[in-house]
Amino acid sequence: GAGVSQTPSNKVTEKGKYVELRCDPISGHTALYWYRQSLGQGPEFLIYFQGTGAADDSGLPNDRFFAVRPEGSVSTLKIQRTERGDSAVYLCASSLMRDTEAFFGQGTRLTVV
Amino acid sequence: GENVEQHPSTLSVQEGDSAVIKCTYSDSASNYFPWYKQELGKGPQLIIDIRSNVGEKKDQRIAVTLNKTAKHFSLHITETQPEDSAVYFCAASITGGSYIPTFGRGTSLIVHP
């Protein structure tokens, strides 16, 4: 596809469960970002990858959150022991390189019940 | 870290009127200011951006202004149309660094036909 693809589009999980959210960036884009967006708020930075490495993970709220990008393309955001407060839309964005326009996916809406 | 304030949170205008959204930022090192439009169920989409070496940029009905001294920037939409209705986010970042935009909380623009 031409754009950033995120799967699933919606995820409902029970409190305490483990979830994985997937992001397929635009082909060739080296920079990848994860953001979290709560209702009525702007996107909140979580983690930034340059290639395979996490260049900045200062936005991850705690050690229950982890993200990987093993081959420098697809990225997975992993949340352990989910809590109701984790409910939000998780957005992924990619850019050709650092300092160029970031393109966002449509997001994954996570609901923890 | 950077802090971006955005006002108003909601803006209601009649079709054909102008709309202005204002943002302030805290980090004087910020030098790149993108604006995003987010429609329901979609990810944010870049509509216009401005860098610190210019004071104004225009693209058809959309214009952005930047006042570096006062650390504020604004989005101006003229001749508004119903399809302009969406949530608009301003952001600020530092190019040459990790280029991680910090977003404002968003403005819900409603254009009444």
Side-chain angles (χ1 to χ4, degrees):
Chain A
V4 177
S5 177
Q6 291 185 247
T7 53
S9 55
N10 284 283
K11 175 71 176 179
V12 180
T13 191
E14 292 181 346
K15 178 175 178 294
K17 297 290 188 182
Y18 167 83
V19 296
E20 289 189 352
L21 311 180
R22 177 185 169 109
C23 173
D24 283 82
I26 294 172
S27 178
H29 280 197
T30 63
L32 185 146
Y33 310 81
W34 282 100
Y35 282 82
R36 178 169 68 176
Q37 187 174 25
S38 300
L39 192 63
Q41 303 291 319
E44 176 189 1
F45 168 72
L46 295 176
I47 187 170
Y48 156 64
F49 286 91
Q50 183 60 47
T52 60
D56 188 333
D57 63 357
S58 62
L60 295 177
N62 52 58
D63 61 6
R64 295 187 298 105
F65 288 74
F66 189 71
V68 296
R69 193 186 185 198
E71 298 179 357
S73 55
V74 171
S75 177
T76 304
L77 179 66
K78 309 180 181 192
I79 310 173
Q80 299 177 322
R81 305 184 303 279
T82 51
E83 300 176 357
R84 291 196 179 87
D86 298 334
S87 297
V89 174
Y90 289 81
L91 293 166
C92 176
S94 72
S95 61
L96 184 61
M97 60 186 73
R98 192 185 69 187
D99 290 0
T100 60
E101 178 183 352
F103 295 85
F104 281 84
Q106 83 284 3
T108 293
R109 180 176 297 279
L110 175 67
T111 303
V112 182
V113 297
Chain B
E2 177 64 275
N3 182 51
V4 177
E5 299 286 339
Q6 182 172 349
H7 299 279
S9 56
T10 59
L11 181 57
S12 183
V13 300
Q14 288 296 129
E15 182 177 1
D17 288 350
S18 294
V20 180
I21 302 170
K22 299 182 179 181
C23 290
T24 60
Y25 61 99
S26 61
D27 190 342
S28 57
S30 289
N31 57 4
Y32 177 67
F33 307 92
W35 285 88
Y36 289 84
K37 176 183 181 182
Q38 186 174 29
E39 298 175 329
L40 199 61
K42 297 184 179 180
Q45 179 181 11
L46 180 72
I47 54 172
I48 195 167
D49 56 16
I50 190 167
R51 298 184 186 271
S52 61
N53 57 346
V54 298
E56 183 174 358
K57 182 176 179 180
K58 190 173 182 180
D59 182 4
Q60 299 183 343
R61 297 185 297 109
I62 296 174
V64 291
T65 58
L66 171 66
N67 183 327
K68 284 215 69 180
T69 302
K71 290 191 284 195
H72 65 70
F73 55 114
S74 301
L75 176 71
H76 304 252
I77 306 175
T78 58
E79 301 171 27
T80 53
Q81 302 167 3
E83 52 265 37
D84 293 331
S85 297
V87 179
Y88 291 80
F89 293 98
C90 62
S93 69
I94 303 171
T95 61
S98 62
Y99 180 65
I100 298 170
T102 299
F103 285 80
R105 295 182 63 171
T107 296
S108 178
L109 173 64
I110 302 168
V111 181
H112 299 280

